[in-house]
Amino acid sequence: QVQLVESGGDLVQPGGSLRLSCAASGFSFSSYYMSWVRQAPGKGPEWVSLINIDGGSTRYADSVKGRFTISRDNAKNTLYLQMNSLKSEDTALYYCARGSRVVAGTPLLYDYWGQGTQVTVAS
């Protein structure tokens, strides 16, 4: 039923850019907050960014603020993450995740996750 499929991950040099996409299906995409979450090897999941239902409000982790931009196209049921000025520290598996039980503008949990797309930043 619910499906989230990430794409766009690649090997990129430091300072380069990538755009990740997440294609959603099986639910009313425009009714949900969405996030990007990443996980580096041997590390726990790290929340990266959040976008509200219509895209009018966004939030970012301090580590990516000013470099990454989250957006969505509700007509295409697609979530995006534009990543610029990439650093080796950005190397991780990137997931899109559906927010649930939003309180005060923050989801209490993420009930569905994609399979992830690998981003590797190296010379």
Side-chain angles (χ1 to χ4, degrees), residues 63-77:
S63 58
V64 308
K65 194 171 299 181
R67 300 187 297 119
F68 290 12
T69 302
I70 190 171
S71 63
R72 67 193 298 163
D73 187 337
N74 286 341
K76 296 181 178 180
N77 288 347

mmCIF file with all atom_site columns, all heavy atoms in Angstrom, residues 63-77:
data_model
loop_
_atom_site.group_PDB
_atom_site.id
_atom_site.type_symbol
_atom_site.label_atom_id
_atom_site.label_alt_id
_atom_site.label_comp_id
_atom_site.label_asym_id
_atom_site.label_entity_id
_atom_site.label_seq_id
_atom_site.pdbx_PDB_ins_code
_atom_site.Cartn_x
_atom_site.Cartn_y
_atom_site.Cartn_z
_atom_site.occupancy
_atom_site.B_iso_or_equiv
_atom_site.pdbx_formal_charge
_atom_site.auth_seq_id
_atom_site.auth_comp_id
_atom_site.auth_asym_id
_atom_site.auth_atom_id
_atom_site.pdbx_PDB_model_num
ATOM 1   N N   . SER A 1 63 ? 23.630 21.032 11.063  1.00 0.00 ? 63 SER A N   1
ATOM 2   C CA  . SER A 1 63 ? 24.729 20.535 10.253  1.00 0.00 ? 63 SER A CA  1
ATOM 3   C C   . SER A 1 63 ? 24.530 20.744 8.754   1.00 0.00 ? 63 SER A C   1
ATOM 4   O O   . SER A 1 63 ? 25.498 20.721 7.993   1.00 0.00 ? 63 SER A O   1
ATOM 5   C CB  . SER A 1 63 ? 24.966 19.047 10.534  1.00 0.00 ? 63 SER A CB  1
ATOM 6   O OG  . SER A 1 63 ? 23.796 18.291 10.265  1.00 0.00 ? 63 SER A OG  1
ATOM 7   N N   . VAL A 1 64 ? 23.286 20.955 8.315   1.00 0.00 ? 64 VAL A N   1
ATOM 8   C CA  . VAL A 1 64 ? 23.011 21.123 6.889   1.00 0.00 ? 64 VAL A CA  1
ATOM 9   C C   . VAL A 1 64 ? 22.392 22.469 6.551   1.00 0.00 ? 64 VAL A C   1
ATOM 10  O O   . VAL A 1 64 ? 22.222 22.786 5.361   1.00 0.00 ? 64 VAL A O   1
ATOM 11  C CB  . VAL A 1 64 ? 22.100 19.999 6.350   1.00 0.00 ? 64 VAL A CB  1
ATOM 12  C CG1 . VAL A 1 64 ? 22.663 18.629 6.706   1.00 0.00 ? 64 VAL A CG1 1
ATOM 13  C CG2 . VAL A 1 64 ? 20.674 20.147 6.874   1.00 0.00 ? 64 VAL A CG2 1
ATOM 14  N N   . LYS A 1 65 ? 22.070 23.263 7.539   1.00 0.00 ? 65 LYS A N   1
ATOM 15  C CA  . LYS A 1 65 ? 21.409 24.549 7.319   1.00 0.00 ? 65 LYS A CA  1
ATOM 16  C C   . LYS A 1 65 ? 22.262 25.450 6.424   1.00 0.00 ? 65 LYS A C   1
ATOM 17  O O   . LYS A 1 65 ? 23.463 25.602 6.636   1.00 0.00 ? 65 LYS A O   1
ATOM 18  C CB  . LYS A 1 65 ? 21.136 25.226 8.653   1.00 0.00 ? 65 LYS A CB  1
ATOM 19  C CG  . LYS A 1 65 ? 20.175 26.402 8.582   1.00 0.00 ? 65 LYS A CG  1
ATOM 20  C CD  . LYS A 1 65 ? 19.786 26.874 9.984   1.00 0.00 ? 65 LYS A CD  1
ATOM 21  C CE  . LYS A 1 65 ? 19.072 25.771 10.758  1.00 0.00 ? 65 LYS A CE  1
ATOM 22  N NZ  . LYS A 1 65 ? 18.670 26.218 12.121  1.00 0.00 ? 65 LYS A NZ  1
ATOM 23  N N   . GLY A 1 66 ? 21.624 26.025 5.415   1.00 0.00 ? 66 GLY A N   1
ATOM 24  C CA  . GLY A 1 66 ? 22.316 26.883 4.472   1.00 0.00 ? 66 GLY A CA  1
ATOM 25  C C   . GLY A 1 66 ? 22.871 26.157 3.272   1.00 0.00 ? 66 GLY A C   1
ATOM 26  O O   . GLY A 1 66 ? 23.269 26.805 2.291   1.00 0.00 ? 66 GLY A O   1
ATOM 27  N N   . ARG A 1 67 ? 22.925 24.831 3.332   1.00 0.00 ? 67 ARG A N   1
ATOM 28  C CA  . ARG A 1 67 ? 23.445 24.028 2.234   1.00 0.00 ? 67 ARG A CA  1
ATOM 29  C C   . ARG A 1 67 ? 22.380 23.160 1.568   1.00 0.00 ? 67 ARG A C   1
ATOM 30  O O   . ARG A 1 67 ? 22.438 22.915 0.368   1.00 0.00 ? 67 ARG A O   1
ATOM 31  C CB  . ARG A 1 67 ? 24.584 23.133 2.715   1.00 0.00 ? 67 ARG A CB  1
ATOM 32  C CG  . ARG A 1 67 ? 25.766 23.896 3.292   1.00 0.00 ? 67 ARG A CG  1
ATOM 33  C CD  . ARG A 1 67 ? 26.935 22.965 3.585   1.00 0.00 ? 67 ARG A CD  1
ATOM 34  N NE  . ARG A 1 67 ? 26.588 21.966 4.600   1.00 0.00 ? 67 ARG A NE  1
ATOM 35  C CZ  . ARG A 1 67 ? 26.605 20.651 4.400   1.00 0.00 ? 67 ARG A CZ  1
ATOM 36  N NH1 . ARG A 1 67 ? 26.956 20.164 3.214   1.00 0.00 ? 67 ARG A NH1 1
ATOM 37  N NH2 . ARG A 1 67 ? 26.293 19.820 5.386   1.00 0.00 ? 67 ARG A NH2 1
ATOM 38  N N   . PHE A 1 68 ? 21.427 22.673 2.356   1.00 0.00 ? 68 PHE A N   1
ATOM 39  C CA  . PHE A 1 68 ? 20.375 21.786 1.855   1.00 0.00 ? 68 PHE A CA  1
ATOM 40  C C   . PHE A 1 68 ? 19.051 22.531 1.785   1.00 0.00 ? 68 PHE A C   1
ATOM 41  O O   . PHE A 1 68 ? 18.778 23.419 2.600   1.00 0.00 ? 68 PHE A O   1
ATOM 42  C CB  . PHE A 1 68 ? 20.188 20.581 2.775   1.00 0.00 ? 68 PHE A CB  1
ATOM 43  C CG  . PHE A 1 68 ? 21.317 19.579 2.769   1.00 0.00 ? 68 PHE A CG  1
ATOM 44  C CD1 . PHE A 1 68 ? 22.540 19.856 2.188   1.00 0.00 ? 68 PHE A CD1 1
ATOM 45  C CD2 . PHE A 1 68 ? 21.128 18.341 3.363   1.00 0.00 ? 68 PHE A CD2 1
ATOM 46  C CE1 . PHE A 1 68 ? 23.565 18.929 2.197   1.00 0.00 ? 68 PHE A CE1 1
ATOM 47  C CE2 . PHE A 1 68 ? 22.149 17.397 3.379   1.00 0.00 ? 68 PHE A CE2 1
ATOM 48  C CZ  . PHE A 1 68 ? 23.370 17.697 2.795   1.00 0.00 ? 68 PHE A CZ  1
ATOM 49  N N   . THR A 1 69 ? 18.207 22.132 0.831   1.00 0.00 ? 69 THR A N   1
ATOM 50  C CA  . THR A 1 69 ? 16.869 22.691 0.701   1.00 0.00 ? 69 THR A CA  1
ATOM 51  C C   . THR A 1 69 ? 15.861 21.570 0.478   1.00 0.00 ? 69 THR A C   1
ATOM 52  O O   . THR A 1 69 ? 15.985 20.805 -0.477  1.00 0.00 ? 69 THR A O   1
ATOM 53  C CB  . THR A 1 69 ? 16.778 23.683 -0.466  1.00 0.00 ? 69 THR A CB  1
ATOM 54  O OG1 . THR A 1 69 ? 17.732 24.733 -0.291  1.00 0.00 ? 69 THR A OG1 1
ATOM 55  C CG2 . THR A 1 69 ? 15.373 24.296 -0.530  1.00 0.00 ? 69 THR A CG2 1
ATOM 56  N N   . ILE A 1 70 ? 14.872 21.475 1.355   1.00 0.00 ? 70 ILE A N   1
ATOM 57  C CA  . ILE A 1 70 ? 13.811 20.494 1.202   1.00 0.00 ? 70 ILE A CA  1
ATOM 58  C C   . ILE A 1 70 ? 12.636 21.155 0.475   1.00 0.00 ? 70 ILE A C   1
ATOM 59  O O   . ILE A 1 70 ? 12.347 22.336 0.688   1.00 0.00 ? 70 ILE A O   1
ATOM 60  C CB  . ILE A 1 70 ? 13.371 19.928 2.570   1.00 0.00 ? 70 ILE A CB  1
ATOM 61  C CG1 . ILE A 1 70 ? 12.427 18.734 2.395   1.00 0.00 ? 70 ILE A CG1 1
ATOM 62  C CG2 . ILE A 1 70 ? 12.736 21.000 3.439   1.00 0.00 ? 70 ILE A CG2 1
ATOM 63  C CD1 . ILE A 1 70 ? 12.131 17.998 3.700   1.00 0.00 ? 70 ILE A CD1 1
ATOM 64  N N   . SER A 1 71 ? 11.973 20.416 -0.391  1.00 0.00 ? 71 SER A N   1
ATOM 65  C CA  . SER A 1 71 ? 10.812 20.926 -1.107  1.00 0.00 ? 71 SER A CA  1
ATOM 66  C C   . SER A 1 71 ? 9.895  19.769 -1.467  1.00 0.00 ? 71 SER A C   1
ATOM 67  O O   . SER A 1 71 ? 10.259 18.599 -1.318  1.00 0.00 ? 71 SER A O   1
ATOM 68  C CB  . SER A 1 71 ? 11.231 21.707 -2.361  1.00 0.00 ? 71 SER A CB  1
ATOM 69  O OG  . SER A 1 71 ? 11.909 20.866 -3.277  1.00 0.00 ? 71 SER A OG  1
ATOM 70  N N   . ARG A 1 72 ? 8.707  20.098 -1.933  1.00 0.00 ? 72 ARG A N   1
ATOM 71  C CA  . ARG A 1 72 ? 7.779  19.056 -2.347  1.00 0.00 ? 72 ARG A CA  1
ATOM 72  C C   . ARG A 1 72 ? 6.908  19.548 -3.489  1.00 0.00 ? 72 ARG A C   1
ATOM 73  O O   . ARG A 1 72 ? 6.640  20.744 -3.621  1.00 0.00 ? 72 ARG A O   1
ATOM 74  C CB  . ARG A 1 72 ? 6.907  18.604 -1.167  1.00 0.00 ? 72 ARG A CB  1
ATOM 75  C CG  . ARG A 1 72 ? 5.945  19.663 -0.651  1.00 0.00 ? 72 ARG A CG  1
ATOM 76  C CD  . ARG A 1 72 ? 5.357  19.263 0.704   1.00 0.00 ? 72 ARG A CD  1
ATOM 77  N NE  . ARG A 1 72 ? 4.574  18.042 0.621   1.00 0.00 ? 72 ARG A NE  1
ATOM 78  C CZ  . ARG A 1 72 ? 4.237  17.302 1.675   1.00 0.00 ? 72 ARG A CZ  1
ATOM 79  N NH1 . ARG A 1 72 ? 4.632  17.648 2.898   1.00 0.00 ? 72 ARG A NH1 1
ATOM 80  N NH2 . ARG A 1 72 ? 3.506  16.201 1.514   1.00 0.00 ? 72 ARG A NH2 1
ATOM 81  N N   . ASP A 1 73 ? 6.468  18.615 -4.310  1.00 0.00 ? 73 ASP A N   1
ATOM 82  C CA  . ASP A 1 73 ? 5.521  18.886 -5.379  1.00 0.00 ? 73 ASP A CA  1
ATOM 83  C C   . ASP A 1 73 ? 4.342  17.957 -5.145  1.00 0.00 ? 73 ASP A C   1
ATOM 84  O O   . ASP A 1 73 ? 4.381  16.783 -5.500  1.00 0.00 ? 73 ASP A O   1
ATOM 85  C CB  . ASP A 1 73 ? 6.153  18.636 -6.746  1.00 0.00 ? 73 ASP A CB  1
ATOM 86  C CG  . ASP A 1 73 ? 5.259  19.069 -7.894  1.00 0.00 ? 73 ASP A CG  1
ATOM 87  O OD1 . ASP A 1 73 ? 4.030  19.146 -7.711  1.00 0.00 ? 73 ASP A OD1 1
ATOM 88  O OD2 . ASP A 1 73 ? 5.786  19.331 -8.990  1.00 0.00 ? 73 ASP A OD2 1
ATOM 89  N N   . ASN A 1 74 ? 3.308  18.484 -4.520  1.00 0.00 ? 74 ASN A N   1
ATOM 90  C CA  . ASN A 1 74 ? 2.166  17.655 -4.163  1.00 0.00 ? 74 ASN A CA  1
ATOM 91  C C   . ASN A 1 74 ? 1.418  17.124 -5.383  1.00 0.00 ? 74 ASN A C   1
ATOM 92  O O   . ASN A 1 74 ? 0.824  16.051 -5.326  1.00 0.00 ? 74 ASN A O   1
ATOM 93  C CB  . ASN A 1 74 ? 1.214  18.426 -3.248  1.00 0.00 ? 74 ASN A CB  1
ATOM 94  C CG  . ASN A 1 74 ? 1.752  18.569 -1.841  1.00 0.00 ? 74 ASN A CG  1
ATOM 95  O OD1 . ASN A 1 74 ? 2.655  17.829 -1.433  1.00 0.00 ? 74 ASN A OD1 1
ATOM 96  N ND2 . ASN A 1 74 ? 1.209  19.511 -1.087  1.00 0.00 ? 74 ASN A ND2 1
ATOM 97  N N   . ALA A 1 75 ? 1.443  17.864 -6.482  1.00 0.00 ? 75 ALA A N   1
ATOM 98  C CA  . ALA A 1 75 ? 0.789  17.400 -7.706  1.00 0.00 ? 75 ALA A CA  1
ATOM 99  C C   . ALA A 1 75 ? 1.475  16.164 -8.270  1.00 0.00 ? 75 ALA A C   1
ATOM 100 O O   . ALA A 1 75 ? 0.848  15.357 -8.957  1.00 0.00 ? 75 ALA A O   1
ATOM 101 C CB  . ALA A 1 75 ? 0.760  18.509 -8.748  1.00 0.00 ? 75 ALA A CB  1
ATOM 102 N N   . LYS A 1 76 ? 2.778  16.010 -7.983  1.00 0.00 ? 76 LYS A N   1
ATOM 103 C CA  . LYS A 1 76 ? 3.537  14.863 -8.462  1.00 0.00 ? 76 LYS A CA  1
ATOM 104 C C   . LYS A 1 76 ? 3.804  13.835 -7.373  1.00 0.00 ? 76 LYS A C   1
ATOM 105 O O   . LYS A 1 76 ? 4.490  12.841 -7.618  1.00 0.00 ? 76 LYS A O   1
ATOM 106 C CB  . LYS A 1 76 ? 4.870  15.326 -9.053  1.00 0.00 ? 76 LYS A CB  1
ATOM 107 C CG  . LYS A 1 76 ? 4.737  16.192 -10.285 1.00 0.00 ? 76 LYS A CG  1
ATOM 108 C CD  . LYS A 1 76 ? 6.107  16.582 -10.822 1.00 0.00 ? 76 LYS A CD  1
ATOM 109 C CE  . LYS A 1 76 ? 5.982  17.418 -12.077 1.00 0.00 ? 76 LYS A CE  1
ATOM 110 N NZ  . LYS A 1 76 ? 7.307  17.816 -12.611 1.00 0.00 ? 76 LYS A NZ  1
ATOM 111 N N   . ASN A 1 77 ? 3.280  14.069 -6.175  1.00 0.00 ? 77 ASN A N   1
ATOM 112 C CA  . ASN A 1 77 ? 3.510  13.167 -5.034  1.00 0.00 ? 77 ASN A CA  1
ATOM 113 C C   . ASN A 1 77 ? 5.000  12.894 -4.826  1.00 0.00 ? 77 ASN A C   1
ATOM 114 O O   . ASN A 1 77 ? 5.420  11.749 -4.614  1.00 0.00 ? 77 ASN A O   1
ATOM 115 C CB  . ASN A 1 77 ? 2.767  11.841 -5.229  1.00 0.00 ? 77 ASN A CB  1
ATOM 116 C CG  . ASN A 1 77 ? 1.268  11.981 -5.081  1.00 0.00 ? 77 ASN A CG  1
ATOM 117 O OD1 . ASN A 1 77 ? 0.765  12.992 -4.613  1.00 0.00 ? 77 ASN A OD1 1
ATOM 118 N ND2 . ASN A 1 77 ? 0.541  10.942 -5.478  1.00 0.00 ? 77 ASN A ND2 1
#
